[in-house]
Amino acid sequence: MSAVFDSALAELNERHRDEVLAAFAALEHGREPVPEAQLLALRDATVRRDLQRLLYRLGRTLVRVGSTHWTSGFRDDVVARLAAEGATAQSRIDRAVLVLVLVHSVAIPRSQGLVSGDSWTSAHPTSVDELTRYTQLPRGEIRPALQRLRAAGLVQIAPPRGRSAVTDGPAYLPGPALHRLTKAARERLEHELILAAAPDSPLAAAIRARRPAAAPAPVAAAADPATSTTERNEDT
Amino acid sequence: MSIDDTALWWARHRAAGPERVPPASAHPTGMIRLVEPDASAVWLLPELPDNARPDVLDELGLPGIAVDQPNDTARVLAACLRCCWNEPTGPVWPAVPAPFDHVIGVFRAITGSRDERALHAAAMGAVRRLAGAGWVLFDEDTRVVRLGPRVASWSAAELSTLRELWRSLPAPPAGGA
Amino acid sequence: MTAGPELTLDQLAGDAAVERLYRQVFAVLARESGAMISDLELLDVDEAILDAFADAGRDGLTVDQAVAACRPIDPGLIHRRFEVLRDYGAISKVVDRPNERFHRAAFAPYVMLLFLRRLAEQGGQAELHQLLTLEHVSVTAPDAEPETGQTTISRLTRIFRHLGNELAILAAGSTAEQLGDHAQLLWGNKGLISQAEEVHTVVLNRWPQLDRECTALRVALAAYGDAVEKAAGRLIERAGTTRALGLLSVETWLSFARTANEDDLAGVLDTFVFDAPAPWFSPNLLTEAVESGRGANTVRQPPPRPEGPAAPPPDDVRPADDAASLRETAERLLGDGDAVAVSDVLDDAGDWLAARRLLADLTAIHHHPDLAYELTWSDGLHVDPGGSPSWVSDGTFRRGRTEDAA
């Protein structure tokens, strides 16, 4: 079949091979993170390493969600390359709208102490008003952008809550695709958001000061896939 | 620099969808090359082993990527298949371009008499979603639809189901006339 | 700083007044006579009592009136706070006599309360700015003496030493949580420093002899700047991926969301990549969607007659008038007879493609308002208003359609 898959899984017996492929399909094609208990290749650390090796070959990596679920995401070094190339399906307006949803649904609840942890998903809805009425974005482009973001799983419509949904139109939440951010990407996103929202703050200065030292790390690690593919990305 | 070419090509597909490249450029490992009818370019599409394809999700009882208006979107894709796949005995790629109005015609026939504006809006929304995911190629200016590179990810078995579906669908209304 | 060792009577009286004010002011922080409060809710109770006095007018309030005005706060609690406030002189009898029941409230405790709340909520930034503004006013006043400049400079030096010390100590040995709780101290520091520098410049230009004092202020400002940097660095380091976002205020986030342009917002994600939309459409899903579309058609739609009076057919999707060609088809199929089995017609069509097209034609003929032909199915269901089309049943195509032929 596929040379990539064959070479990545060459050493596995047939059963483990099937387990790895099923887990690969579940993580890569599935909408939500998959419970560890459901698949052997997630449950069993040895088989999971094989799964990680396969994902790594394809520019992907395992991402742990909470303590019991897994999904897959881009390798951090690959992200850097693709971002530099501009290989992306989301337009600028799409990204701008996504950032607004992240500010309202994640950053603000965190400032209020309502949410802990480092997830970029959230149960705090962003109202359409907040996106259309109170921003500098061209109003007519926001709804199409939301549709495209929905198609990519980057935002989702918040479950209606009582009357508010009827009166204010739909509200949005960050979508399940945000689970696919690696731990490093999640932290980087926090920093980018702080840099953009408060560029003159000492916090931003501190982030910038830490940058040069932090940047080369993933590249260096990526240079040695043999040691870095497996355990490194099994973040908690 | 240190990143393996295969990893990059697969990741690019993941990030940007099926990629259209000059014919002589890349031949990444494990990817299908879909040549444009005029050979001006090729599309790159990952080739997945049988038990790593999206249909595995059904077996595992896991939800796939959510689609807005899933039924209408699927119907419009079926209508596009009916209009563009002129030789259903042959391969599904590249098929032929078809006027979007033909697609709407088939869509109307399989969804019944809705309000025309609602019907057009539904078809337009669906074809844009499909185009956004590479299932069809849609030129909004000329209103011409083609099948997108992602159709090449249907397996042989799946294609035979689709042939059956194709035969059950009414012909494009203006196509026969 | 002006008082010598021997205090005059005036000064003593003045000190007594200051002490009285201090006692009043700190009454709101007293848990009970002689101890600091430990429960911030008591501040709410104090505020409620003082509010009641403000609303009561010049007659003042009795304890019971205060309790009534402060409902639903527990009366016992009001009584206790009332006593504490009275002990500190924040509340006193309207007339100082044993049986007096009416009390009045001093205004200073209330001001202090507001000040404390602001300080607690905003970290005292605004107060510092106001203080710096006042210092600036005082050193630029035409009649200001060198002593004014000296007092101002040493006051600022102390303030910034305090700030810097607090941050340096925090940065050296506290948890991310502690640092985060003091994060307000870090914000707006540039504004504070530059405001202080302006005052410094005024003083140094006006009274060059204060060079030594000014140097001390510069040192204090630099130390404060360093402490800010260090604390911020530590904060980011300690905050890790779980607390960094919470270090900015809600206002900062809101103002970013509401004032940033598309590029500023989108720029946040410049170095990120997400999956492209990749929904999967299995053939079964397509088939089911198509089937359910047909079913839904007659279940919830009005009669499938596109050319009915309510909805004239749009010209761009249907040939202007296909009645003639449809009639031709119908006549060709029926020949001399009045009816023909659909299965026969389809069999004659040859391949499935042609059969399918023919079936579509039959359906179209049936629905055409100007054509008197009828398509019925062997199970007796008609493809018309009340019917449900069945694409698997055998059917009959015949002339005449009672309701539409008329």
Side-chain angles (χ1 to χ4, degrees):
Chain A
M1 178 50 70
S2 171
V4 191
F5 287 80
D6 279 346
S7 69
L9 307 176
E11 291 163 23
L12 298 189
N13 63 38
E14 198 170 333
R15 179 165 158 264
H16 280 175
R17 194 187 150 94
D18 285 348
E19 293 285 355
V20 168
L21 288 176
F24 174 88
L27 298 189
E28 287 282 272
H29 308 309
R31 182 189 313 174
E32 303 277 353
V34 181
E36 181 171 286
Q38 189 171 352
L39 295 168
L40 176 78
L42 299 177
R43 226 165 37 229
D44 181 319
T46 315
V47 189
R48 193 165 67 219
R49 250 196 313 277
D50 296 319
L51 172 62
Q52 168 66 7
R53 190 170 55 236
L54 172 63
L55 286 167
Y56 192 93
R57 293 260 176 111
L58 303 174
R60 309 281 286 177
T61 183
L62 274 169
V63 176
R64 184 165 222 157
V65 180
S67 54
T68 54
H69 286 61
W70 294 90
T71 185
S72 56
F74 289 104
R75 272 160 52 181
D76 294 315
D77 55 341
V78 167
V79 164
R81 272 291 288 272
L82 295 188
E85 289 177 7
T88 168
Q90 287 81 34
S91 68
R92 265 193 108 60
I93 183 80
D94 295 356
R95 289 163 169 258
V97 171
L98 176 56
V99 167
L100 283 176
V101 173
L102 294 178
V103 167
H104 287 290
S105 290
V106 181
I108 289 179
R110 290 245 205 113
S111 283
Q112 292 169 325
L114 300 175
V115 189
S116 57
D118 72 337
S119 172
W120 282 98
T121 56
S122 156
H124 296 266
T126 301
S127 73
V128 164
D129 256 10
E130 202 55 75
L131 298 175
T132 53
R133 200 184 294 173
Y134 301 117
T135 68
Q136 305 301 311
L137 300 181
R139 214 170 285 185
E141 294 182 29
I142 291 173
R143 280 175 195 278
L146 284 167
Q147 281 172 13
R148 291 188 294 266
L149 290 170
R150 278 214 304 278
L154 288 167
V155 304
Q156 58 188 331
I157 292 181
R161 278 191 197 162
R163 288 159 299 153
S164 64
V166 180
T167 51
D168 309 336
Y172 287 86
L173 294 173
L178 287 154
H179 284 303
R180 297 189 182 274
L181 292 172
T182 62
K183 189 179 175 65
R186 297 197 292 274
E187 176 170 321
R188 215 158 48 77
L189 183 49
E190 296 200 333
H191 290 178
E192 290 294 343
L193 212 48
I194 289 170
L195 288 174
D200 296 329
S201 68
L203 215 48
I207 290 168
R208 281 189 287 266
R210 280 164 46 98
R211 275 289 159 86
V219 175
D224 188 8
T227 57
S228 61
T229 52
T230 52
E231 299 301 334
R232 187 171 63 88
N233 284 309
E234 291 183 12
D235 40 36
T236 44
Chain B
M1 278 117 269
S2 59
I3 306 169
D4 172 37
D5 237 17
T6 308
L8 270 180
W9 279 112
W10 280 68
R12 274 188 202 116
H13 174 267
R14 193 75 200 185
E19 194 157 7
R20 195 173 187 272
V21 298
S25 60
H27 203 150
T29 318
M31 294 185 104
I32 310 167
R33 289 162 51 95
L34 300 167
V35 184
E36 283 278 18
D38 63 358
S40 64
V42 294
W43 293 88
L44 301 174
L45 196 73
E47 186 181 24
L48 297 170
D50 274 346
N51 28 13
R53 300 179 64 252
D55 56 354
V56 173
L57 289 178
D58 281 344
E59 293 164 29
L60 296 172
L62 294 170
I65 308 294
V67 184
D68 279 359
Q69 309 296 336
N71 284 324
D72 275 350
T73 308
R75 286 172 198 139
V76 168
L77 180 54
C80 292
L81 266 179
R82 182 62 186 81
C83 296
C84 299
W85 197 11
N86 58 334
E87 296 284 352
T89 47
V92 70
W93 173 270
V96 296
F100 183 49
D101 287 343
H102 290 193
V103 174
I104 292 184
V106 175
F107 180 58
R108 179 190 297 108
I110 59 178
T111 51
S113 56
R114 294 187 198 185
D115 168 69
E116 273 298 318
R117 277 179 57 192
L119 183 103
H120 277 254
M124 185 55 87
V127 79
R128 284 188 179 142
R129 270 190 292 283
L130 291 167
W135 283 99
V136 303
L137 303 170
F138 180 46
D139 186 328
E140 296 216 14
D141 296 329
T142 59
R143 287 171 69 84
V144 166
V145 180
R146 274 182 60 196
L147 295 181
R150 229 183 263 276
V151 300
S153 45
W154 278 319
S155 68
E158 287 169 333
L159 284 178
S160 71
T161 309
L162 288 172
R163 286 192 181 95
E164 253 173 70
L165 174 65
W166 191 99
R167 285 190 288 266
S168 80
L169 291 170
Chain C
M1 80 193 66
T2 50
E6 299 295 321
L7 298 177
T8 66
L9 198 60
D10 273 356
Q11 284 169 327
L12 279 175
D15 285 353
V18 168
E19 197 205 320
R20 192 166 61 243
L21 184 68
Y22 278 17
R23 282 180 62 82
Q24 290 174 359
V25 154
F26 284 103
V28 292
L29 287 177
R31 175 157 54 86
E32 55 199 43
S33 251
M36 271 295 276
I37 61 165
S38 53
D39 181 355
L40 281 178
E41 273 173 35
L42 293 182
L43 279 181
D44 296 335
V45 178
D46 289 352
E47 190 170 353
I49 295 174
L50 293 173
D51 284 348
F53 272 102
D55 297 340
R58 52 194 304 172
D59 292 340
L61 289 176
T62 65
V63 182
D64 292 336
Q65 283 172 327
V67 166
C70 293
R71 252 179 222 127
I73 300 174
D74 171 35
L77 194 52
I78 298 291
H79 275 282
R80 284 201 298 281
R81 292 310 296 170
F82 204 93
E83 280 312 306
V84 172
L85 291 173
R86 200 163 60 176
D87 280 351
Y88 277 85
I91 294 173
S92 53
K93 292 178 174 178
V94 171
V95 180
D96 190 12
R97 59 185 179 197
N99 295 329
E100 178 62 55
R101 291 167 53 238
F102 283 89
H103 293 77
R104 63 185 177 85
F107 98 104
Y110 191 68
V111 173
M112 183 63 175
L113 194 68
L114 299 185
F115 180 81
L116 288 172
R117 285 199 187 277
R118 265 178 65 129
L119 205 63
E121 279 163 21
Q122 301 170 5
Q125 292 279 317
E127 282 66 27
L128 281 174
H129 280 290
Q130 280 161 10
L131 188 124
L132 285 163
T133 305
L134 288 177
E135 298 289 3
H136 194 269
V137 168
S138 89
V139 298
T140 47
D143 57 349
E145 301 284 330
E147 287 71 28
T148 313
Q150 185 174 10
T151 312
T152 290
I153 290 295
S154 39
R155 204 157 29 215
L156 295 190
T157 305
R158 293 222 172 82
I159 288 172
F160 282 98
R161 278 181 188 159
H162 271 301
L163 283 171
N165 288 346
E166 186 170 1
L167 278 177
I169 291 165
L170 278 170
S174 37
T175 63
E177 278 67 27
Q178 287 168 320
L179 271 174
D181 291 343
H182 291 80
Q184 308 116 318
L185 286 173
L186 298 170
W187 313 141
N189 62 93
K190 279 193 179 148
L192 285 180
I193 290 177
S194 65
Q195 238 184 324
E197 280 168 351
E198 276 173 39
V199 175
H200 165 272
T201 308
V202 170
V203 171
L204 194 56
N205 288 340
R206 199 163 172 188
W207 303 290
Q209 69 270 31
L210 295 178
D211 176 56
R212 199 167 54 86
E213 287 82 354
C214 285
T215 304
L217 176 56
R218 284 199 301 277
V219 170
L221 287 176
Y224 172 60
D226 286 351
V228 165
E229 211 167 281
K230 229 176 262 169
R234 194 170 164 82
L235 204 49
I236 275 295
E237 186 182 310
R238 286 293 182 90
T241 50
T242 58
R243 284 189 52 106
L245 290 180
L247 299 177
L248 294 190
S249 66
V250 173
E251 289 71 33
T252 307
W253 289 121
L254 275 182
S255 117
F256 172 61
R258 294 177 174 184
T259 61
N261 63 28
E262 183 179 327
D263 273 344
D264 291 341
L265 290 169
V268 171
L269 298 175
D270 270 350
T271 56
F272 291 83
V273 172
F274 301 100
D275 290 344
W280 177 245
F281 291 96
S282 73
N284 288 339
L285 194 137
L286 294 190
T287 307
E288 280 163 23
V290 168
E291 291 305 327
S292 74
R294 284 166 173 161
N297 174 11
T298 47
V299 169
R300 60 184 157 96
Q301 299 291 334
R305 279 182 293 173
E307 280 127 335
D315 293 336
D316 60 332
V317 288
R318 195 175 173 85
D321 188 13
D322 49 5
S325 81
L326 288 178
R327 192 194 308 276
E328 209 177 291
T329 307
E331 288 302 329
R332 178 169 57 80
L333 293 174
L334 289 166
D336 293 332
D338 281 328
V340 59
V342 173
S343 54
D344 293 345
V345 172
L346 295 185
D347 283 347
D348 291 342
D351 65 9
W352 250 103
L353 175 55
R356 216 57 229 181
R357 198 174 295 141
L358 200 54
L359 193 54
D361 282 346
L362 290 179
T363 311
I365 293 165
H366 170 79
H367 288 313
H368 202 294
D370 299 330
L371 299 178
Y373 301 97
E374 188 178 31
L375 182 64
T376 58
W377 299 96
S378 58
D379 53 9
L381 291 177
H382 295 225
V383 187
D384 65 15
S388 155
S390 165
W391 298 88
V392 292
S393 308
D394 283 338
T396 310
F397 182 68
R398 61 165 65 88
R399 291 179 204 281
R401 188 163 31 167
T402 47
E403 66 271 39
D404 278 336

